[in-house]
Structure formats: C-alpha cells, structure tokens
Amino acid sequence: MKTTLLLTCVILPFAATAAEQTFDFKDPKGVNTARFTLDAPLETISGNANGVSGTLTIDPAKPEATKGSIVIDAKTLNVENAMMKEHMLGAEWLDVAKNPTITFTVMSLEDFNMSGQAAPAPGAPKGSSMDSVTATANVKGKFSLKGVEKEIAVPATVTLLKGKLGARTGGKMQGDLMVIRTEFTIKRADYGINPKAPTDKVSDDIVINLAIAGASPK
Amino acid sequence: MRTTLRLFALLLLLGTAGWWVAAGKNPGWTKNKVAIEKKDEITEIVFIEYEDRFVPGVDILAAAVAGAVVLAGLSFLGRRKVAAS
C-alpha cells in the first residue's frame, strides 16, 4: 500500500503534465515572420522582421491555460529602403538601441474553437492520429513595444501539425509543429512611436501580421 | 551653349523617365532591396526574403525633373547676342 501511494505521488505530477507540449518558436530556417503595414493616404510603408523566438506551452485538454511569450528582435525589422530602415530603428521612431525586443506575453486563451480536423494522410496506418488540428482562439496578452506595455486581445488561428517536425528538419528531429497565424492592429501613438509624425504620410494604424511555426521535439 | 544645355535637360528628363519605367514604374521611394515572397512547404507560411536590387523611385524622377528645369533655366540666363545692323 505504501509503495502504491509513493508511486502515485511520483507518477501523478508527470501524468498531469504529460499532455502539455512546449513549442519553441526560434526557427533556424528563418521562415517565421512578423509583417507590418502602415497604410497612410500619401504613403504605404511595409516591412517585416524575422528574428522571432519564444516558447508557448499548451495543454490540449486545457487550452485556456496556454502560457508563454513570442519575442521579436527589433533589430531584424526590415524595409526596402536603407535610409527608411535607419530612421525606423532610430531614437525618434522605435529606438531599438534602448528597446531591443518586441514581446507578446500570453495571459489567457478565450473562445477556443476547434474549427477543423484534417484527415490522416493517404496511406497512413488505420487508427493513426489526425495529421493536423486547427483551432481558432482569442488570445489575451501583454504587448510590449518601445518600452510601452499594453493588454490587448488578438484573434489567432492555431494549427497543430502532428509528426511534421521530421519532414521539416530532414529527419534530424522528430516531433510536432504548431503554426500560429494572427493579424491585429495597434496605434502608433499608443506606443510613443514618433506621435508627431503626420498621419497622412505615416499611418497611426500599424497592421501586424504574424505567421510563425514552433517545434516540439520528442 | 543654349542648345547644348537644353539638349542635356531633355536627355536627363527622358533618360531618367525611361530608366524609371524600365525598372518597373515604382510609385514609392527608391529601394535598394526588393522583397521576394516564398512559401514554406510544410507549414505553408509565406515569408519574405530580401534581394539586393536598386529600383529607382519617384524621388529620383523628381530629382531628374528638377535637374532638367535648372539646366533649361540656365540656358535662358546668358545674354542673347544681338546681330549688328
């Protein structure tokens, strides 16, 4: 009886966390991308950043308890004009020397909805698990940009690609992939990004489009 | 001299406009990088890679127009020689 109790004490915590999966969003392929667009009447400015990192821990049984953060290296922000890039990273605009990262820290997931499940791949053995699961959710979190942190909620689509890490790494690693897609808008003035700049030339609305893949090796 | 200046102004204007059109009529600022969209086959994420390429924008076109106006304007500065009667 004592042994059973001891075993239960040791095994239960592991059983409880066994369903949890942590996904690392540092992508060696450089595919993970955050795009931004400022569409002003006189000028449209767009660019991207590929210095994405961070981790998310998700329990499919309790998706609302998802925790983690996505970090973007502000120095990897890029536009098509070298002088514009220099200005964008400078003190007046993003001041990346003082604020080297842009962070979204997940606080909770709401309205989690399993919107679709793909069938197993052709030729997959009978009874094999689904190849991919897609869900939508409203993600509440803290968005930090240029030293200003604000609570925001963003709509996201999350796709779990089971066993696809091997295909992506040429068989070097096995595991699952998680793809997150989201698009949301923030106000430039809210984050103190050169609020004096005229909005007919540089829009106050910054549309951020994130498409990132995280790996969970097994 | 006048004719030479006016000819240079015309060449500058037409040459720059032709270059701008041939390079794709970029309506924005001059670019020294061009974004190329690519798609990751496994995750289907569309991502951007930058290629070093110079694409003239409307700023260069405007500079050429200004240069041509200056050259043409200079051609009117000199005193016209009046033929002795």
Side-chain angles (χ1 to χ4, degrees):
Chain A
M1 185 64 184
K2 275 184 182 174
T3 318
T4 313
L5 269 174
L6 188 67
L7 274 173
T8 310
C9 287
V10 172
I11 291 168
L12 260 180
F14 285 101
T17 56
E20 273 189 1
Q21 256 187 301
T22 297
F23 291 86
D24 187 351
F25 287 85
K26 196 165 181 66
D27 182 19
K29 286 195 161 188
V31 166
N32 284 348
T33 306
R35 296 191 198 198
F36 63 90
T37 307
L38 293 87
D39 193 7
L42 294 178
E43 194 177 353
T44 300
I45 300 166
S46 61
N48 79 320
N50 58 7
V52 179
S53 62
T55 59
L56 283 181
T57 301
I58 186 165
D59 180 350
K62 280 200 305 181
E64 65 280 357
T66 298
K67 289 281 175 272
S69 59
I70 301 297
V71 182
I72 292 166
D73 180 356
K75 284 178 188 161
T76 66
L77 284 162
N78 226 330
V79 287
E80 291 176 312
N81 182 289
M83 192 184 288
M84 190 184 281
K85 181 182 174 180
E86 199 180 312
H87 287 173
M88 177 178 71
L89 302 184
E92 202 173 11
W93 293 86
L94 290 173
D95 199 5
V96 299
K98 285 185 187 163
N99 307 287
T101 57
I102 299 164
T103 310
F104 184 80
T105 306
V106 177
M107 290 160 62
S108 65
L109 254 70
E110 291 176 354
D111 306 326
F112 193 83
N113 181 32
M114 215 69 108
S115 58
Q117 290 190 335
K126 274 187 180 178
S128 65
S129 60
M130 296 291 183
D131 266 7
S132 70
V133 180
T134 300
T136 56
N138 206 27
V139 186
K140 274 192 169 178
K142 288 176 183 169
F143 185 72
S144 173
L145 172 62
K146 205 190 175 189
V148 178
E149 189 177 82
K150 284 190 178 289
E151 279 189 25
I152 59 170
V154 301
T157 303
V158 182
T159 305
L160 180 65
L161 299 168
K162 291 184 177 176
K164 292 284 185 176
L165 182 57
R168 195 141 189 267
T169 58
K172 287 177 187 168
M173 294 165 86
Q174 296 301 320
D176 301 335
L177 289 171
M178 180 195 273
V179 180
I180 298 176
R181 289 183 171 86
T182 181
E183 186 178 295
F184 58 97
T185 304
I186 59 165
K187 295 279 182 192
R188 179 165 61 86
D190 286 351
Y191 295 87
I193 304 166
N194 199 359
K196 289 177 188 170
T199 52
D200 55 344
K201 282 184 182 169
V202 186
S203 172
D204 189 38
D205 286 341
I206 306 175
V207 180
I208 298 173
N209 192 305
L210 200 70
I212 53 174
S216 176
K218 283 182 180 167
Chain B
M1 186 64 183
R2 289 164 190 271
T3 314
T4 312
L5 279 172
R6 287 172 193 173
L7 198 63
F8 268 122
L10 191 66
L11 278 175
L12 179 67
L13 198 64
L14 292 179
T16 311
W19 179 37
W20 180 74
V21 169
K25 291 189 263 183
N26 170 28
W29 295 105
T30 296
K31 301 174 183 178
N32 51 3
K33 285 180 199 165
V34 176
I36 311 274
E37 281 196 348
K38 293 188 175 178
K39 191 174 183 178
D40 182 71
E41 285 180 11
I42 306 292
T43 61
E44 295 187 342
I45 290 175
V46 177
F47 62 103
I48 290 174
E49 277 187 0
Y50 287 97
E51 188 179 284
D52 287 336
R53 199 194 310 162
F54 189 86
V55 182
V58 287
D59 47 334
I60 286 189
L61 206 56
V65 170
V69 167
V70 169
L71 284 177
L74 284 174
S75 74
F76 289 100
L77 286 181
R79 289 179 67 190
R80 190 185 289 269
K81 283 179 187 171
V82 181
S85 54

